[in-house]
Amino acid sequence: MKINVRCAVLALLAGAAMPLPAFAQSSTSKGATAETVTTQLPRSVRPSHYDVTVTPDAKALTFAGKAAITVDVLEETRTITLQAADLAIAKAALATAAGKRMGAPTVAIDKDAQTATFTFAKAVVPGNYVLSIDYTGKINTQAYGLFALDYKAADGSAKRALFTQFENSDARRFMPSWDEPFYKATFSLKAVVPEGEMAVANLPVESRKSAGEGRTLVTFGTSPKMSTYLLFLGLGDFERKTVQAAGTEVGVLTKRGDLAQADYALEQSAALLPWMNEYFGEKYPLPKLDHIAAPGRSQFFSAMENWGGIFYFENAMLLDPKIASNSLRERIFTVIAHEMAHQWFGDLVTMSWWDDLWLNEGFASWMESRATAQFHPEWNPELTGVGSRELAMAQDGYVTTHPIITPIKTVEEASQAFDSITYSKGEAVIRMLEAYAGSDQWRTGVQAYMKRYKNSNTVTDDLWAEMEKASGKPIAQIAHDFTLQPGIPLVKVSASCAAGQTSLTLEQGEFTRDRADKQPLNWRVPVRAAGLDGASAETLLQGKGALTVAGCGPVVVNAGQSGYYRVLYDAKTFAGLAKSIAKVKPVDQLGILNDAAALGYAGNQPMANMLDVVKGLPADASPQVMERAANVIAGLAGYARGNDKREAALSRFASARLLPVMKRLGWTPRPNEPVTEGDLRAALIETLGDLGEPSVLAEARRRFVASKTDESAIDPSLRVAILSVVAKNADAKTWDALHELAKAETSAQVKTTLYSQLGMARDPALADKALALSLTDEPSVTTSPVIITSVASGNPDKAFDFVSANYDAVMARVDSSGATRYVAKLAQGSADPAMVEKLNGYAKAHLPAGARRPVDEAVAKIQDRIKVQKTRMGEVDAWLAKAGY
Ligand SMILES: [Zn+2]
């Protein structure tokens, strides 16, 4: 699954928050057997095949189902327990493989445990049976189980499409099942659908025949053995286009009228497939691979790796020409690469239990940059990787963090595992281990792992074992340090020069954002240092260590930035590095800037260090580095709100630093410019517009007005940025004009973007208007929470108070399981001490036990923001004054 990290809303969907009992203990030791894997079901019965027929009634939001499950009874028993949620079971029967029927069982539903137990009058002896169940279920209006998405077709008519979303534990809302990843089985799916609608699933359609009453019975091919959470069904007024790639039919599906917008996804996916076949050393095993774009959005995820039928919300897959930009292409490519990597890592080889979710998600996230390096080196994936590491560290430095591998006992705990630690720290740790093992050795290890475990389940240590064999290095020890312990190593460095050599003294500590006196944990840290001329040295640091690098110039520690740690240089060494920052490689400029910012905020280093680096970057620095510099200034501006003098000084610094770059780039894309310059142009317009730079504000407004009569006044690559600037600084009249645009827009993606921008207005009265609008019938159900999130970006307290006052109405429009995270994230930008109490009150009233983490994280961030404002910003004022701003 791909979560929405870029919206800073981390979470997922899935079932309701309910603690379930665990019958067996999890294990991270080798060998995933039935006895060692966590389960919430008795292990005495195991499914091998599901034959499922569903008949949805889209209008009534219900469906009827018939399941015939082939099971092996392993020990004599009078009961069979499986998982079922929100299903009504009408009839059940058990027969031997030869067709001999057992007496009809009684059925007991346990709503809290999400199980159904069938009890037989006589004991069922070990053997092979078929369990047949007739049942009915609900079609949801949020993305879990079988769910409906409503939209308007191009001709204005109202349409409803159906999809499924089962990760992590919602297949049980679609069919009674052993709904845990360990229970792999084959699936034969059939659906009775309205004539004229297109049905799509994991396997190709095998046959269609009339089912009467204007309906068609669609039979799909039988799947290989797979976990329940990967089953998929989609149904609606779709169009489909295919190409052949490496012997596989690759397809894209969209709602009617949008197919051309999927050309980019189809072309990139067809290129990726043969390359992934080769990387993994196993050919993609299904006859087809579809990418399905669905209208609407989720607050929590953008795509899901159902085997052979990948689901996307359309803003993650379709290239709408009205807002086409390089960054949108990059987003589409990386989401596709992520989901395709899962076809092997996750679908072909699956974690035994959710403890090891990180391996799925960290690996797929890491594969995004591997694929980008192969197909789009112009996007500089090594720089993107530094950004992703920073995202992980932004969560990992607080007291509320957790180890990558955390024991998971309940559905809610599994849901909460979908966060930056699982995804981005997982990715960063894999990148570090790959660099340590060597990329060829790493790939050899991956191939051996695929070959050995295909169609089965693993635990993390199964991968480390293959990696140690392939590399001959102690991968597992390092991996354990970084995956079983929380937090970020800090490598303290001091340098001295003698006889033409730089001697580095290294000491490992721990970086924390909010616990200056914490006793540091211990890690084995692969450390690489390099001089600006390329001379380098490496060590595996434990406690204290030393390195010698040839030459006497500045030395970068964590050169290449593949390590998951921060670097704290002594003052003199840092000053030398800052002075030469223009000569440092872009990837290391980025790493040094990130560390300087984090260490400054945490109080380990003067705030001046980050400002010196921002100021010292050359005007023609890599666009991604300059974008980060703009972002650092914008971050400081967030702490200046309400302090006019500080805000004005920061604005002057931003203009002096960034305006010359903006002038060089201009407002019109140049033919053949590096694609990342286009991204930088959009980012600078947003940052300078945010900071109220008068010339940028005036030009954005001028273009907005001109675009009403001349569409070419705004290049598609800048549409989102320019409208955001206009919206943030809107007065009532401009806001109304934007509102009219949103109402009239026909492209679903652009429409949602426009509605979200209505929430960005800084003017509190307009923020109130946007909040009121969010709960009307005007925006679509999935757009409402997007508007509220937008308001929270500038007015977090307002957004939180609004949700508190309209709790039930808002929650009816938010994916239910992600709701705990949704509300907490709205508040985390607050700097008001009163918000801490409000959040605690919210948690008490609405959160089940064990689901407080998102609230604790938001509280930690609010308390840190208040502390930074009090204790760190004075240094920024002093630096700005001294530098003449
Ligand atoms: Zn994923």
Side-chain angles (χ1 to χ4, degrees), residues 1-3 167 303 305 338-339 342 360-361 364-365 423:
M1 189 182 315
K2 180 81 179 173
I3 55 171
E167 191 175 24
E305 67 268 22
H338 179 108
E339 302 307 334
H342 276 313
N360 257 13
E361 296 304 349
S365 302
Y423 280 71

Side-chain angles (χ1 to χ4, degrees), residues 68 85 245 255 325 354 448 464 605 663 717:
K255 63 184 195 279
S325 63
W354 302 106
W464 303 148
Q605 254 186 8
K663 286 201 173 122
S717 69

